[in-house]
Amino acid sequence: MKKNILITGASGQLGQFFIDKLVEKNNVISTDINVSPRLIKKYDLKFLDALNEVKVRKFIEKYHIDEIYNFASILSAKAEKNPLKSFQLNTNCFLNVIKASISSSVKKIFWPSSIAVFSKESNLNYVQQDVIMNPTTIYGASKLACEKVINYFNINGLLDIRSIRFPGIVSSSTPGGGTTDYIVEMINNIKSKKKYICPISPNTILPMMHVNDAVDASVKLMSVPRKNININNSYNISSFETTPYEWKNLICQMGYNLEVDFQPDFRQKIADSWPRKIDDEQIRKDLNWKPKFNKIKTLKSVIEDYSLT
Ligand SMILES: NC(=O)c1ccc[n+]([C@@H]2O[C@H](COP(=O)([O-])OP(=O)(O)OC[C@H]3O[C@@H](n4cnc5c(N)ncnc54)[C@H](O)[C@@H]3O)[C@@H](O)[C@H]2O)c1
């Protein structure tokens, strides 16, 4: 039987890829506060402010929602510009979804965390699943706070909340103000033929992942029985690591002309507090999952999506 799935923050970088996958087998109710005519037409997108608990509850009741994917958020770089508002938004949207889901038709919630939960104390060269986490960004703090809430609800059997700590996600859609946005923006600049000003220094290593792998792992995590899940807060996940310098060279090796000026800004400090490599053995084992896209496949796929070939 088809499930009724509510997505909040569906207009963002990840939203449309999740909608495309989830509509294959479910009724998907896509919502956001940013409702462009294009997305209304394409996905029947509806206005829903996830900060409004009463409205979230009304959506759950009206559409008999079985599962929620909560993407409403402000990403790392944007969050630093207005830290308290960002913390409030990231945590309150999630808490509202939780409050509205208790004693409702909702059986499961998916909530994406981020590698921003880690810090220098986490051994950034190779970050294990359970390590010390003292995030130095407000975004990381908001993600870690929500992870603690997830753990509480899961261990007490109050709700079934599933979560993955995404690395930088590579896709053909516009990123929403994160620290890893350069990876998508460089490809975007091939098309516009503009010189790219990269806010991250050339040799900064960060973990990345193709959006299809992120969607596949998330949907798989939502489909397995709870007893298969060994992590009560959020799973580490990763696919490949790269640097701005390597990414630019890969693009040029594929025959594209891309000029890049490296001018690190405040985002460098954020990137320096994030992992260079992630140990994601647990999710691979629990879901019997592995990424399908390596570095080169990811680049080729996104270039193809941009119709550059
Ligand atoms: N994109 C990445 O590389 C990445 C990496 C790690 C984690 N994540 C997480 O994945 C989730 C989705 O990320 P994204 O890249 O699509 O982000 P995005 O910034 O592109 O999209 C977020 C969406 O949330 C919407 N939103 C903001 N406030 C809202 C509110 N009050 N009510 C409803 N919607 C609201 C925005 O309009 C936007 O469309 C976020 O939780 C993010 O932290 C993303």
Side-chain angles (χ1 to χ4, degrees):
M1 208 172 95
K2 280 187 169 185
K3 284 179 286 190
N4 299 321
I5 297 182
L6 173 66
I7 305 183
T8 70
S11 304
Q13 189 199 353
L14 303 194
Q16 72 178 64
F17 297 94
F18 275 85
I19 302 173
D20 287 342
K21 174 76 180 178
L22 290 169
V23 290
E24 288 170 8
K25 293 190 180 156
N26 308 284
N27 301 313
V28 178
I29 319 298
S30 308
T31 68
D32 202 296
I33 49 170
N34 174 13
V35 283
S36 71
R38 183 184 71 82
L39 293 176
I40 294 177
K41 196 167 163 213
K42 192 166 177 201
Y43 295 117
D44 190 22
L45 187 78
K46 296 174 179 19
F47 182 92
L48 175 61
D49 182 352
L51 287 173
N52 188 332
E53 188 202 331
V54 175
K55 289 275 164 59
V56 175
R57 196 182 295 277
K58 282 196 174 141
F59 264 75
I60 292 175
E61 283 164 8
K62 180 170 178 192
Y63 296 102
H64 307 287
I65 297 298
D66 298 296
E67 292 181 5
I68 302 183
Y69 285 68
N70 179 41
F71 295 145
S73 63
I74 297 181
L75 267 66
S76 57
K78 218 167 154 186
E80 290 306 309
K81 303 213 158 125
N82 198 337
L84 291 181
K85 181 181 167 224
S86 306
F87 186 88
Q88 261 173 338
L89 187 127
N90 288 351
T91 52
N92 284 350
C93 286
F94 184 49
L95 292 181
N96 282 341
V97 163
I98 289 181
K99 277 193 264 176
S101 299
I102 292 170
S103 308
S104 77
S105 53
V106 175
K107 293 167 200 78
K108 283 177 221 164
I109 297 170
F110 179 79
W111 179 84
S113 187
S114 156
I115 55 167
V117 292
F118 298 116
S119 60
K120 289 203 164 136
E121 298 84 349
S122 315
N123 182 17
L124 295 176
N125 282 334
Y126 190 50
V127 178
Q128 312 284 313
Q129 176 67 43
D130 287 313
V131 288
I132 298 173
M133 293 176 240
N134 286 315
T136 48
T137 60
I138 200 72
Y139 176 69
S142 71
K143 289 291 182 191
L144 187 57
C146 291
E147 281 198 13
K148 302 283 181 197
V149 174
I150 294 179
N151 187 58
Y152 172 82
F153 276 86
N154 281 333
I155 60 171
N156 289 299
L158 301 171
L159 273 175
D160 184 352
I161 311 176
R162 305 181 180 200
S163 178
I164 295 177
R165 294 172 182 145
F166 287 145
I169 303 295
V170 196
S171 73
S172 56
S173 56
T174 315
T179 303
T180 53
D181 289 3
Y182 83 81
I183 199 146
V184 178
E185 289 168 351
M186 273 193 197
I187 303 171
N188 212 350
N189 275 44
I190 308 173
K191 199 166 187 175
S192 67
K193 296 193 166 52
K194 281 193 209 140
K195 182 195 268 188
Y196 181 60
I197 309 296
C198 184
I200 307 293
S201 70
N203 296 322
T204 306
I205 305 169
L206 285 167
M208 303 282 175
M209 165 172 242
H210 190 285
V211 68
N212 289 2
D213 281 330
V215 173
D216 273 356
S218 309
V219 172
K220 199 159 188 197
L221 178 64
M222 287 293 273
S223 73
V224 297
R226 180 82 220 173
K227 65 175 170 50
N228 293 19
I229 297 178
N230 286 299
I231 298 297
N232 279 316
N233 51 2
S234 189
Y235 277 101
N236 277 5
I237 199 166
S238 191
S239 175
F240 61 90
E241 299 81 34
T242 192
T243 67
Y245 183 73
E246 182 188 42
W247 197 246
K248 182 223 172 230
N249 281 347
L250 287 173
I251 291 172
C252 293
Q253 278 161 24
M254 284 179 69
Y256 297 100
N257 221 338
L258 175 69
E259 243 192 290
V260 179
D261 235 8
F262 295 96
Q263 293 179 19
D265 64 15
F266 71 99
R267 282 167 275 196
Q268 185 62 44
K269 196 172 150 205
I270 303 180
D272 287 341
S273 75
W274 286 6
R276 289 178 264 288
K277 196 171 167 63
I278 305 269
D279 171 13
D280 65 353
E281 197 192 322
Q282 190 71 52
I283 196 164
R284 291 183 188 226
K285 205 166 124 206
D286 288 0
L287 299 187
N288 189 21
W289 172 91
K290 61 176 189 219
K292 295 190 181 81
F293 290 81
N294 61 17
K295 220 174 286 187
I296 302 293
K297 265 178 106 173
T298 298
L299 181 57
K300 282 187 179 157
S301 148
V302 178
I303 283 180
E304 219 175 278
D305 284 355
Y306 267 115
S307 310
L308 290 169
T309 48

